[in-house]
Each structure stands twice: as structure tokens, then as C-alpha cells.
Amino acid sequence: MLERGQYFDDIVLSWIGKLHTPRRNKLMVFVTRLGDKGLVWFAMCVPFLIYKPWRLTGANILVGLVMAHLAGEILIKHLVCRVRPCHKLDDNELVIKRPRYYSFPSGHTTASFSVVAVTALQCWPVAIPVFILAGLIGFSRLYLRVHYFTDVVAGALLGLLCGFLSVELFRAML
């Protein structure tokens, strides 16, 4: 079963690798950098936290991001210990520097989709552009060959769960 999943992951990365051009490489590096350390999502929280009617949503986003980080980066990555696809490539095939940590699940995608869940549940018009950006960040991780397809899908599902749990936690407390 795992071999079939790895075979599928390798096929997806091979197909995406054919899309590489210098212009797309620059675009995907920019998109992935937006997700570095949750930068874009923390920046998005600022207006939510400042504007009193949206403050709860901003707090939910922050809690969802913390939950996503703890579950994905601290717990699951160190239990699974999956090697990244970029570690199988030569240096001349890389677009960005090799990340040091494990691959499964994608932390960029987990964080991004935790914000998708919170915004979808609390201010759905904002969720549409958030979903588009989250999808682009997830795709950029595949494009740059630092994650497998299953890493990104698992990250999206974990992120949605964390965002949902954040909202439910706040609802239970209020």
C-alpha cells in the first residue's frame, strides 16, 4: 500500500516538474515564501485583531495556527520522519534551498488550511481569497519539490481540522 502511494507521489512530482520555467520558478518561490513561518497569515490577523467585531476571528486564526504547528511540525513530522523529495535531487535541480526538517505533513499547507477553515466558518467571503492563496501555497510546495502530493493533502486535511477545532473551542468557551 505504501509503495503504491509513493509511486503515485513520484508520478505527480514528475508531472509537475515538467511545468518548470524560470518565470514560474520565481512566482512559486514568491508564493511559498508567503507561507514561510505563517507570515502571510499572521499579517492577515492584524486587521482582524484591531477591528473589534472581527477580533474573535483573529484570535481563532491564531489559535488554529498554533494548533496546526503543534500537531504537524512538533508531533506528526517527528513520528513519521518522511524524507523530502528534494533530498533525492541533485543541487542543480533545486529551485530553493533544501529544508532541514521532515516532509509529512506539509507545514505551509497545514497552516494555510487552518486559516481557510476559520474564515470559512466565521467570515466566508474572506475564505474565498484565503482558499485560493492556501491552494497556491500548497501547490508551490509540490512545484518546488519540497513535498509529496500526500504531504500536501494531509497538511490540508490537518489544517482544516485544526481550524475547525479552534472555532469549536472558542464556541464552547463563550
Side-chain angles (χ1 to χ4, degrees), residues 2-167:
L2 289 176
E3 288 175 9
R4 246 190 285 183
Q6 185 63 55
Y7 177 73
F8 176 75
D9 276 341
D10 291 340
I11 287 174
V12 170
L13 283 183
S14 175
W15 178 77
I16 291 173
K18 294 174 184 170
L19 300 175
H20 281 229
T21 65
R23 181 177 276 166
R24 284 189 197 123
N25 290 355
K26 287 180 183 176
L27 175 63
M28 289 296 116
V29 168
F30 173 76
V31 169
T32 215
R33 293 290 176 239
L34 289 173
D36 285 357
K37 296 178 181 21
L39 178 68
V40 71
W41 308 123
F42 286 113
M44 189 184 96
C45 279
V46 172
F48 279 100
L49 293 169
I50 290 171
Y51 185 57
K52 192 171 183 175
W54 292 350
R55 201 165 286 156
L56 183 64
T57 300
N60 271 174
I61 291 170
L62 290 175
V63 169
L65 286 168
V66 169
M67 291 170 71
H69 179 74
L70 292 174
E73 297 295 313
I74 305 300
L75 181 64
I76 298 172
K77 277 194 187 208
H78 295 284
L79 290 173
V80 175
C81 299
R82 187 178 195 186
V83 176
R84 291 177 182 268
C86 59
H87 292 290
K88 298 177 183 177
L89 300 173
D90 293 330
D91 286 342
N92 63 345
E93 295 179 89
L94 297 174
V95 178
I96 62 171
K97 203 168 68 172
R98 283 184 177 90
R100 294 184 311 200
Y101 304 107
Y102 296 117
S103 184
F104 185 90
S106 166
H108 282 69
T109 309
T110 303
S112 299
F113 277 85
S114 72
V115 179
V116 169
V118 171
T119 55
L121 292 170
Q122 295 201 328
C123 54
W124 67 267
V126 174
I128 295 166
V130 167
F131 175 76
I132 292 167
L133 181 55
L136 284 170
I137 289 172
F139 179 77
S140 76
R141 305 306 285 167
L142 293 169
Y143 181 93
L144 297 169
R145 294 182 267 194
V146 293
H147 283 291
Y148 292 105
F149 180 74
T150 50
D151 300 340
V152 171
V153 170
L157 293 173
L158 179 61
L160 290 170
L161 177 64
C162 291
F164 174 77
L165 288 175
S166 172
V167 171

